[in-house]
Structure formats: structure tokens, C-alpha cells
Amino acid sequence: MKRLLSMLSAFFLLSLLAIFVWLTPMSTNFLNYMLWKYSTDAPVVTGNIDYRQAHIHYEVIGSGKPVLMLHGGLSNKLCWFSQIPWLVKAGRQVVLVDTRGHGRSSRGSDVLSYEIFAEDTLKVLDRLAITRTDIVGWSDGGIIALLLGLQSPERVDRIVAISANFHPGGVIGGFDTPDPDVSYSLMNTLKSWFQVWWSGAGDRHAELEAELNTLWQTQPQLKHSDLQAIAAPTLVIAGENDIIDLPHSGEMAQMLAQGSIEIVLGAGHASPFTHPEQINQLIASFLQIPITP
């Protein structure tokens, strides 16, 4: 029996090691982030605002010129674990917001829309007395960044929009929907657990996922004239294998008043944590931020 337990323990540890290696660089960057988080002396401020029946959670790390980081749908502010440490070390104040329904932000009672996400974000900036900021947004966060650039240009300096679309037709292959026939294998159980943890929605994850799938089928609806009205210099970043159609990303960059585009070779939709070195270099160059070791 003891031998069996020892074999099972060894198998479990080897499996964890294999997963850690397989997920590199995500796993190593997340470990580095956790080590940095619990050792940094950078000032940290957390709080919530109450707006339209929801508690919107935010976290501010560091000091200096602010850079607002907006996460994608079904994730949370922790998705920036590969960007936060070097931005803070470079002298930037990193502002993180959990979109309503995600992470530590509550859902509220309003129908989810990019407009209300943008309103929530502005209320956070108001609470923090931030009058202007650079914005880095990934996926849904990139869409929110574009809306802020359109609707509140006086609050926005530069925008980095990673894997964002300006209308639903820019998404390749339609939208994911839950599969009622999916088997309850260990892999699916682990995947489901990770998805719930990643969104931070807990018991509401399935409901939030269904709401966002509905949202993604109808929004955003930005026109060429809307993109042309966004005055902030904007860098569009897309993965070579992104779910956002590359011609769509190119069209976005072309229509923006001061748009440019970069394609990350080999990357998909999750480039901020699968290809952090390339993403960090692009952000640093565009926002003129030195990357310090």
C-alpha cells in the first residue's frame, strides 16, 4: 500500500512538472509575478465603486504616469501577470479594473454592454482622480478602450488594443456555446475549474458565459466614422492565429485617425500571456516605456 501511495505521489508530482513545463512561459511568468507581488514595496491601493447596482473592484499598483489595463471577457485583472511587474518597475502607475460580473466586481442588474463597461471604467478613473491615462486593453478590454477613446477623448492619451474587434463580423468561426453532451472527464473537469477561476465569477460563471456569448453576437457596432473619430494614437495588435480576422484588424488600424498595427507571429488570441516578451516589447515601444530587468 505504501509503495502504491509513493507511486501515485510521484506520478502526481511528475504530472504537475509536465504541466508546468508545457505551460511555459505562462507558468514561469505567473510564478515570477507571485514572487514579485509578495516582495515588492510598490504602493498598492484597492477599492470599489458603486455604480448602477454593481460594485466595481479596482487595484492600483505603483506610482507615476497611469496606465489603465483592461482585461478580456471571462477573465479578470490577473490576466496581466506578465505585464504588471515591469510596468511598475518602469515607473508607471498600473490601474487594474475587474469588469462587472468578473473577478471581484459584482454583476449588477443592467444588461451587459460595452457602453456600461466603459461607464464603469470612467467612474473608477473619477474615484482615483485620474484625468488622463494610457490604456492597454485585451479582447473585450480593447473594445472598451476604443469606446473610451471615442466617447471620452479628453481622458485618453494612447491606446494599445490587443485582439479587439470593432464589429461581430471580425470574429472568425462564430462564438463558443456550451456543449450539453460534453463528458465529465478529468480534463474537462480541470478545464471547467480553470475557467471558473479565471473569470472569478464563481457560481455565476455559466450565466456570465451565456450573457457574454449573446453580447459577442451583437456588439460592438463601431462604424468607420467612429474609428476615424478616435484621435488618440492607437496600436492594434493581433496574433497571427487570432480568432480576430487579420484583415479586420488591418481595417481597424487603417480607419483609426492615428492607427498602426503589429502582428505577433505564432500567437493566437491569448498573446499577453502566451507571447509576453513580444507583447511587452510592443507596449513598451509604443508607450515609450523602458523595460527594466
Side-chain angles (χ1 to χ4, degrees):
M1 186 64 178
K2 290 183 178 179
R3 183 178 181 184
L4 177 60
L5 289 175
S6 297
M7 291 176 64
L8 288 174
S9 298
F11 176 77
F12 180 72
L13 291 173
L14 287 173
S15 297
L16 287 179
L17 179 60
I19 291 172
F20 186 89
V21 173
W22 180 56
L23 290 176
T24 300
M26 290 184 287
S27 54
T28 52
N29 282 343
F30 187 76
L31 178 59
N32 289 336
Y33 165 77
M34 294 303 293
L35 292 172
W36 172 84
K37 178 179 175 66
Y38 291 105
S39 63
T40 182
D41 58 359
V44 178
V45 176
T46 62
N48 299 279
I49 62 158
D50 294 322
Y51 182 62
R52 294 178 68 164
Q53 296 82 49
H55 304 293
I56 308 301
H57 180 75
Y58 63 84
E59 182 172 341
V60 182
I61 309 173
S63 57
K65 183 179 179 181
V67 54
L68 173 65
M69 312 292 286
L70 300 175
H71 66 80
L74 297 178
S75 67
N76 68 85
K77 64 182 183 297
L78 188 59
C79 79
W80 299 111
F81 60 84
S82 294
Q83 287 72 47
I84 295 170
W86 72 264
L87 284 167
V88 172
K89 291 176 183 177
R92 300 301 296 263
Q93 181 186 64
V94 176
V95 181
L96 304 161
V97 180
D98 279 334
T99 304
R100 67 169 53 208
H102 298 70
R104 295 177 62 186
S105 291
S106 65
R107 164 68 179 77
S109 58
D110 286 305
V111 175
L112 296 183
S113 69
Y114 292 110
E115 284 73 18
I116 195 170
F117 294 157
E119 290 177 23
D120 293 340
T121 305
L122 282 176
K123 292 298 181 181
V124 170
L125 294 179
D126 290 343
R127 168 67 61 84
L128 298 172
I130 294 175
T131 56
R132 289 184 70 89
T133 182
D134 292 324
I135 307 177
V136 179
W138 166 57
S139 194
D140 278 4
I143 297 170
I144 298 168
L146 293 172
L147 275 180
L148 291 171
L150 174 65
Q151 298 172 355
S152 303
E154 73 284 357
R155 309 295 294 271
V156 179
D157 277 334
R158 288 174 170 255
I159 296 171
V160 178
I162 306 169
S163 297
N165 56 303
F166 64 91
H167 65 72
V171 181
I172 299 172
F175 300 85
D176 293 332
T177 55
D179 181 359
D181 298 322
V182 68
S183 64
Y184 289 98
S185 65
L186 175 61
M187 187 57 70
N188 283 322
T189 300
L190 290 173
K191 180 180 178 182
S192 296
W193 174 87
F194 177 78
Q195 289 174 334
V196 171
W197 175 80
W198 191 236
S199 70
D203 294 340
R204 286 201 66 262
H205 176 85
E207 184 181 349
L208 177 64
E209 184 176 17
E211 287 183 285
L212 288 180
N213 271 289
T214 299
L215 173 69
W216 294 334
Q217 292 179 53
T218 58
Q219 294 188 31
Q221 291 289 346
L222 294 174
K223 303 179 181 65
H224 283 180
S225 57
D226 295 324
L227 296 175
Q228 292 166 354
I230 298 173
T234 302
L235 173 62
V236 175
I237 300 177
E240 180 185 18
N241 305 309
D242 214 312
I243 64 169
I244 307 301
D245 189 37
L246 291 184
H248 180 89
S249 296
E251 182 181 351
M252 180 194 298
Q254 185 178 19
M255 289 297 106
L256 287 162
Q258 297 191 69
S260 57
I261 187 170
E262 293 284 351
I263 306 300
V264 180
L265 298 181
H269 193 62
S271 59
F273 37 97
T274 62
H275 291 69
E277 184 175 350
Q278 297 94 316
I279 292 296
N280 293 350
Q281 289 289 348
L282 290 172
I283 293 173
S285 177
F286 187 71
L287 299 184
Q288 300 178 343
I289 305 172
I291 295 183
T292 56

